[in-house]
Amino acid sequence: MIHILALITLFFLVLIVYLISKIQLDRQKFHSRIKVLEDFIVEISNEQKAQDNQLKLSDELRDKLKHINATLSKDIYEVNFKLVEELYPRK
């Protein structure tokens, strides 16, 4: 009877050690997968920030271009108007 109890106890001890090592291995795999996902999220976040900066620059350049075009159109109109006045003076 004692031998059977000793074998059962030994079996459960081996099972406990196996399960503990399996849990630790699974935990390590989980942490390595989480690390990969975290790195991927950081990379995507950095790319998103870069794209946001490019979009902001694009918007700023578009606004500057509109302003420059308006100023240039006004200047061209004034030059044309003065040229016409010089070529065809009022009588």
Side-chain angles (χ1 to χ4, degrees), residues 16-27 29:
I16 289 172
V17 169
Y18 170 75
L19 291 176
I20 289 173
S21 66
K22 176 85 168 121
I23 289 171
Q24 288 178 345
L25 181 64
D26 288 344
R27 188 174 288 153
K29 287 180 183 178

Side-chain angles (χ1 to χ4, degrees), residues 59-75:
D59 289 341
E60 289 174 0
L61 288 174
R62 187 178 321 120
D63 292 341
K64 286 181 182 181
L65 186 59
K66 284 180 184 178
H67 176 71
I68 289 170
N69 280 339
T71 304
L72 187 58
S73 294
K74 181 181 172 188
D75 291 345

Side-chain angles (χ1 to χ4, degrees), residues 73-85:
S73 294
K74 181 181 172 188
D75 291 345
I76 290 172
Y77 174 79
E78 289 175 1
V79 167
N80 283 336
F81 187 78
K82 288 180 183 179
L83 183 63
V84 169
E85 278 186 338

Side-chain angles (χ1 to χ4, degrees), residues 37-51:
L37 290 174
E38 286 174 345
D39 292 343
F40 183 67
I41 290 172
V42 167
E43 183 180 331
I44 289 175
S45 175
N46 290 337
E47 288 176 7
Q48 180 67 32
K49 287 178 185 178
Q51 289 177 353

